[in-house]
Amino acid sequence: MAKRASSFCLLSCIVVFLLGLVSAATDNRQDKQVYVVYMGSLPSRPDYTPMSNHLSILQEVTGESSMEGRLVRSYKRSFNGFAARLTESEREQLAEMEGVVSVFPNKKLQLQTTASWDFMGLKEGKNTKRNLAVESDTIVGVIDCGVWPESESFSGKGFGPPPKKWKGVCSGGKNFTCNNKLIGARDYTGEGNRDIDGHGTHTASTAAGNAVTGASFFGIGNGTARGGVPAARIAAYNVCTDTGCKTDAILSAFDDAIADGVDVISVSLGDDNAIPYEKDPIAIGAFHAMAKGIITVNAAGNSGPTPNSVASVAPWILTVAASTTNREFLTKVVIQNGKTLVGRSVNAFDLQGKNYPLVFQESQAKGKILVSEYSFSSKTAVATIIEGYNNYATISPRPLSALSSDDYDFLLSYNKSTKSLQGTVLKSEAFFNQRAPKVVSFSSRGPNTLAADLLKPDITAPGVEILAAYSPLSPPSLEDQRRVKYSVLSGTSMSCPRVAGVAAYIKTSHPDWSPSMIQSAIMTTAWSMNASETGVASTEFAYGAGHVDPIAALNPGLVYELDKADHITFLCGLKYTSKTLRLITGEAITCTGKTLPRNLNYPSMTAKRARSNSSFTVTFNRTVTNVGIPNSTYKSMIVLNQGSKLNVEVTPNVLSMMSVKEKQAFTVTVSGSNIDPKLPSSASLIWSDGTHKVRSPIVVYTDIPDSI
């Protein structure tokens, strides 16, 4: 019985997976429907060719020689099967054939634009704990390029007056009006707070936008769009023009936001690379926010996958990388033999299934589909097929599909054997997959170039193909004449406000928690991630502590606390002088003692070694605070990551917490030798009381090259 149950579970997962991969198109003219023919595992015979087998089966059942318009897709890499347009009698005949496990109708699953919030576990409904009264008193400050105030995501309908602690203003410029949702606006550019770029509207709605039903990008990703804390208030600070975001404006925005009474600051801005703390307006502004009890969440940057590229590297900032979710936008290319190639793009154009000749030169493209190795969309072609399969999709101003190298090469070779190749590009569809999240290629990577013993980024969150509110003044892509209220964007700019929303969500349950407590809760409860590929670009330098888990972060058990004095001690350990310290803190400070930066009471532990071929021993001193229950006992456990040869000892290895807010200190001693000079050696320390798992990454490395 157990074996049958297990088999049923496996089959159910595959069925759901397949349902999410194929088109739900129906050919009503011939009374045919798309069915999935699932055939189990791939045969191990070397002479077995899935595509040929599938065509042969279809020809036998249908009695037709050409499968054009019949075969929708072949499954031939991980399992065996295909999708095809069939009549009811053909379906019944196929279901009885030897080797066919099941035949089931293809359905279009209900899609939510909030798929990434659901994916993170922060779902709407009774199972998600929300304190709406406190959430309504929570204010998220967004430092960006303004907002579109008329967006439904910022509607004040149903909201009471702003919280009493709010001390801000609505100074958004001409024809800009605030309400009880969008309670404040300040402009530092002289051009007004109305968003003409779309970026600020997108980030603000991602963090705390209202729940808006029926949101989509021309029907793609249709569902309900919402922020992490829909009942919270938003204050928008415009610091950017079309030429960039000036330092003075950013510092002014921090200055005002702190005084205005915001609880969380979201900043999806930054330099291409890390700049010294004393010259970084975000680091300086965030330091003052931290000192006033306000957490700042900042994007890691979009200069990945190059190592040493993370731009946000201050410990008093929660730095966010960008990762994928279980949803992706795919654009199918169907060629004349019925074979379907699946590419990436956010393509809202519908060619109505009409076939056009495929050509391979721009001079021949008029009225045809251009196939090109260059990443551009032809202005003269009906559609464009390019080679350029990224792990994220982008919007095109014209019909386009970006194929993987293998599928693109197939198209080229198939064209050589066919005199007049024809095909069509379908409108994009959103599909769910079962793959674990991975950090996207553009997301900036560590190590930290300013503080080598501080792991950055801290966390990763969904930042790929995020649908959120947009400015109708801004085209969704270059050379695009369309205007939209919701659009799809990718970047660490998208993952940053998502974690800002999580921070605000935690704040609603723990109003008295400091920024470091919130940051620790988010980091130590993150989903563990493993290297998805070889190379430094897929290690902790890509994702930090892991993937954010909002629900777990509400109840972390233990937290690592830091205050202003701790951060000053950290800077002193970096040999900052009184002069440079004053540039950051604004105060006259004299450093005393010699505290190592790696002993900052941070939720992660990192040490850079001078030589890779020598033996070493490093220690980390840490203190945790009990925010769980009294009379709890935490035992330590060390998990070595694949290939790691570190020796890790924790003293003491058991912590007995008699009361809430009790603090206990411990030491982690890491030893080893012959570190890989190209990769970090890493492990995880987990404190567990049987209910909570408080996990911290441990990373030891030498000089990481600037290339992958």
Side-chain angles (χ1 to χ4, degrees), residues 28 43 158 216 231 261-262 315 360 374 486 505 560 642 663 698:
N28 294 322
S216 73
V262 304
F360 296 79
Y374 302 107
Y486 290 83
Y505 176 63
Y560 295 82
Q642 186 174 6
K663 298 179 184 294
I698 302 170

Side-chain angles (χ1 to χ4, degrees), residues 52-126:
S52 299
N53 180 259
H54 302 159
L55 288 170
S56 176
I57 292 173
L58 267 179
Q59 288 172 340
E60 180 181 344
V61 170
T62 64
E64 299 171 3
S65 58
S66 173
M67 289 298 102
E68 183 176 359
R70 285 287 206 161
L71 183 65
V72 176
R73 175 169 233 193
S74 283
Y75 307 108
K76 54 185 181 295
R77 301 188 67 186
S78 303
F79 45 81
N80 195 16
F82 59 92
R85 290 184 174 85
L86 305 168
T87 64
E88 176 60 23
S89 62
E90 290 166 348
R91 183 201 67 80
E92 293 174 355
Q93 187 178 346
L94 262 170
E96 297 298 319
M97 293 184 70
E98 184 178 352
V100 174
V101 176
S102 61
V103 181
F104 46 88
N106 182 34
K107 298 178 181 178
K108 187 171 288 187
L109 303 181
Q110 183 177 0
L111 301 174
Q112 301 290 328
T113 63
T114 55
S116 51
W117 283 116
D118 291 346
F119 174 65
M120 293 161 60
L122 194 57
K123 301 179 180 180
E124 290 297 271
K126 296 180 180 178

Side-chain angles (χ1 to χ4, degrees), residues 390-414:
N390 293 319
N391 48 7
Y392 62 98
T394 56
I395 296 171
S396 171
R398 289 168 287 275
L400 178 141
S401 180
L403 299 179
S404 67
S405 295
D406 287 345
D407 280 350
Y408 185 82
D409 290 343
F410 167 83
L411 203 58
L412 294 182
S413 61
Y414 190 79

Side-chain angles (χ1 to χ4, degrees), residues 236-250:
Y237 301 84
N238 180 27
V239 298
C240 303
T241 66
D242 56 3
T243 60
C245 315
K246 292 185 177 181
T247 296
D248 61 334
I250 295 171

Side-chain angles (χ1 to χ4, degrees), residues 3 299 312 327 374 386 433 458 482 528 605 631 655 687 699:
K3 186 175 181 180
S312 176
R327 186 187 73 175
Y374 302 107
I386 64 172
N433 60 58
D458 294 308
R482 297 172 295 172
S528 178
M605 304 173 202
N631 300 314
L655 301 177
W687 288 105
V699 179

Side-chain angles (χ1 to χ4, degrees), residues 282-298:
I282 297 175
I284 294 170
F287 185 93
H288 291 280
M290 172 272 299
K292 295 293 185 180
I294 303 165
I295 187 171
T296 298
V297 185
N298 191 203

Side-chain angles (χ1 to χ4, degrees), residues 309-327:
S309 58
V310 60
S312 176
V313 293
W316 52 87
I317 293 175
L318 183 53
T319 305
V320 188
S323 47
T324 59
T325 68
N326 63 339
R327 186 187 73 175

